[in-house]
């Protein structure tokens, strides 16, 4: 067990690391963060902010040797960097988990190989492959780069065969996958944690609405039937066990109108849909990450009250600083800002959480508070 007072290292320096650092500091740990940037969302909270390239393996080793254990908040750290950290420190989840989940093709191949339900897909390395894959899977379909994609970046929806050349060109020659378009009824996720002893906890099913491929609103609990909730949790448990995850992992899924579930993707870390756990559940996903990293018992995931989270994207800053007071007037609205300097459109700048007697009421409050920000522009 790594006791409070020790230093914990986080690779990456965004909002996920920031909220990890807040949870870790509350528990009495010190936090070191490593990324190529300065004055980062995590660095503003951490005790130590190391600024170096993830490819500088000497710097990664030096960073890892200065802390009791390392986790990450950014999954596109190279396998070599993860191995460098693992050569001198405990790294949780292991670099192997990172390696599989940072690459859609490896991830989907792993999941399909273990018998998990995934969206039908084909590997695409050329325009000809893309035509052939579209003929096999049918259209519409979604073309995605195999690596380094998030929030819909590196994705193109192909409606008809005429869209194929432009979609393939947008991948800029990168190894890609074509996925059948899933006419899902809803998008859901299960955030779960697993300890080094194999203890497993999950937060139940969150329901997620996306806008422009970016998460917009999450509610907990999702309005799904008991069998669907049980199946989703069983899939999450199976995935954490199959990957031998020690830490937090989120399974994003499509719920089909038939009631079937398909895994869309995995995030081997706390996830945007789990931010609502800070207020709505007994132990947040970030505290769970600290506990799993340090070999502490996992915390209760009990729902305190139904909750909802609305993301604040950079577009809200279009006409200058939003009127925070207008949002905070909404009863129960909790504002989280990530300390990012530049508000680019689509950039995740913060979120608002609200609780309610029902998830619908919570959603109404969170969305109203956000609307007040938009209206104040
Ligand atoms: P991803 O980055 O793969 O999570 O995709 C971002 C969002 O795009 C998802 O949450 C869905 O809303 C949408 N999307 C991605 N893949 C598909 C698919 N195969 N079928 C339908 N919608 C999709």
């Amino acid at each position: 067990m790594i006791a409070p007072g020790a230093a914990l290292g986080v690779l990456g320096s965004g909002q996920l690391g920031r909220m990890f650092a807040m949870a870790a500091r509350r528990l009495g740990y010190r936090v070191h963060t490593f990324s190529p940037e300065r004055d980062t969302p995590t660095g503003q909270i951490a005790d130590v902010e190391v600024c170096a390239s993830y490819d500088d393996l000497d710097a990664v080793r030096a960073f890892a040797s200065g802390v009791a254990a390392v986790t990450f908040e950014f999954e596109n750290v190279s396998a070599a960097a993860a191995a460098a950290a693992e050569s001198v420190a405990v790294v949780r989840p292991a670099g192997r988990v990172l390696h599989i989940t940072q690459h859609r093709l490896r991830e989907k191949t792993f999941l399909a190989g273990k018998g998990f339900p995934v969206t039908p897909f084909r590997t695409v390395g050329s325009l000809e492959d893309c035509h052939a894959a579209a003929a096999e899977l049918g259209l519409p379909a979604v073309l995605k780069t195999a690596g380094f994609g998030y929030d819909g970046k590196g994705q193109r929806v192909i409606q008809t065969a005429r869209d194929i050349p432009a979609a393939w060109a947008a991948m800029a020659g990168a190894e890609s996958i074509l996925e059948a378009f899933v006419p899902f009824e809803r998008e859901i996720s299960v955030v779960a944690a697993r300890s080094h002893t194999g203890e497993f906890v999950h937060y139940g099913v969150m329901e997620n609405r996306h806008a422009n491929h970016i998460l917009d609103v999450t509610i907990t609990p999702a309005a799904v039937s008991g069998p669907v909730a049980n199946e989703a949790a069983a899939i999450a448990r199976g995935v954490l066990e199959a990957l031998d995850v020690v830490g937090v992992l989120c399974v994003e899924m499509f719920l089909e109108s038939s009631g079937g579930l398909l895994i869309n993707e995995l995030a081997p870390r706390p996830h945007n849909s789990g931010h609502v756990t800070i207020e709505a559940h007994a132990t947040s996903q970030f505290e769970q990450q600290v506990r799993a990293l340090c070999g502490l018992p996992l915390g209760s995931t009990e729902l305190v009250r139904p909750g909802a989270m609305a993301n604040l994207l950079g577009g809200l800053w279009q006409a200058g600083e939003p009127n925070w007071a207008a949002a905070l007037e909404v009863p129960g609205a909790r504002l989280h800002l990530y300390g990012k300097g530049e508000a680019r459109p689509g950039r995740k700048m913060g979120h608002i959480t609200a609780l309610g007697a029902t998830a619908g009421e919570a959603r109404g409050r969170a969305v109203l508070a956000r609307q007040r920000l938009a209206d104040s522009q």
Side-chain angles (χ1 to χ4, degrees):
M1 186 190 91
I2 298 165
L8 307 178
V10 56
L11 292 173
S13 62
Q15 63 269 19
L16 301 176
R18 181 183 181 89
M19 290 181 269
F20 165 81
M22 288 172 160
R25 291 192 73 152
R26 189 165 51 72
L27 283 165
Y29 292 96
R30 293 181 176 273
V31 179
H32 297 198
T33 176
F34 182 109
S35 83
E37 281 110 46
R38 279 183 211 288
D39 189 28
T40 57
T42 312
Q44 292 163 14
I45 305 291
D47 297 84
V48 177
E49 181 176 49
V50 174
C51 180
S53 161
Y54 296 115
D55 298 326
D56 183 345
L57 301 185
D58 289 334
V60 172
R61 263 187 296 270
F63 173 77
S65 52
V67 295
V70 174
T71 188
F72 45 83
E73 65 100 63
F74 171 74
E75 69 260 38
N76 288 324
V77 170
S78 71
E86 281 176 330
S87 69
V88 290
V90 172
V91 178
R92 289 175 171 159
R96 176 183 39 75
V97 177
L98 199 71
H99 183 67
I100 293 172
T101 56
Q102 72 191 184
H103 189 267
R104 290 185 196 278
L105 188 55
R106 283 197 288 269
E107 178 177 287
K108 280 201 149 48
T109 306
F110 174 86
L111 290 170
K114 295 280 180 189
F116 292 104
V118 295
T119 315
F121 69 98
R122 295 286 183 280
T123 310
V124 170
S126 67
L127 181 59
E128 294 68 48
D129 286 354
C130 200
H131 280 288
E136 284 178 39
L137 293 173
L139 293 175
V142 189
L143 187 62
K144 304 179 177 182
T145 51
F148 295 95
Y150 67 99
D151 287 347
K153 291 188 172 61
Q155 277 189 33
R156 285 296 171 99
V157 177
I158 297 174
Q159 298 287 358
T160 72
R162 265 172 293 141
D163 300 336
I164 293 176
W168 171 247
M171 302 296 119
E175 183 185 28
S176 300
I177 69 170
L178 189 73
E179 271 180 36
F181 187 87
V182 180
F184 54 80
E185 191 189 275
R186 261 180 247 179
E187 290 191 75
I188 64 167
S189 55
V190 176
V191 176
R194 189 164 170 272
S195 75
H196 68 297
T197 59
E199 183 190 0
F200 172 84
V201 295
H202 68 85
Y203 290 92
V205 179
M206 312 275 177
E207 182 173 335
N208 304 316
R209 301 246 170 105
H210 290 76
N212 302 319
H213 294 264
I214 303 178
L215 184 64
D216 185 43
V217 173
T218 293
I219 61 168
T220 180
V224 293
S225 69
V228 166
N230 290 340
E231 177 63 13
I235 288 173
R237 182 175 197 134
V239 168
L240 273 85
E241 288 177 353
L243 282 167
D244 195 16
V245 170
V246 179
V248 173
L249 183 140
C250 173
V251 186
E252 291 182 61
M253 289 174 257
F254 297 130
L255 173 59
E256 299 176 287
S257 47
S258 61
L261 289 167
L262 292 172
I263 298 178
N264 174 33
E265 64 175 353
L266 309 179
R269 48 165 171 77
H271 184 256
N272 196 167
S273 62
H275 294 357
V276 70
T277 61
I278 295 174
E279 286 90 358
H281 292 259
T283 310
S284 78
Q285 62 171 350
F286 301 102
E287 179 170 337
Q288 221 70 275
Q289 185 183 19
V290 176
R291 289 178 179 230
L293 178 62
C294 296
L296 297 169
L298 298 178
S300 162
T301 55
E302 188 187 342
L303 184 77
V304 176
R305 259 189 119 201
M309 186 274 335
N311 266 336
L312 305 180
L313 302 184
L316 279 170
W317 274 250
Q318 237 164 9
E321 194 72 12
N323 180 355
W324 302 120
L328 290 170
E329 271 167 14
V330 175
R334 300 278 303 270
L335 177 64
H336 298 247
L337 290 172
Y338 306 149
K340 296 183 182 178
E342 197 194 335
R344 292 188 296 273
R347 190 176 195 202
K348 290 175 179 169
M349 301 296 290
H351 68 268
I352 291 178
T353 306
L355 305 184
T358 63
E361 185 178 81
R363 171 169 45 211
R365 288 179 176 157
V367 169
L368 172 66
R370 181 175 64 181
Q371 188 58 43
R372 293 268 186 99
L373 295 177
D375 292 346
S376 70
Q377 286 282 298

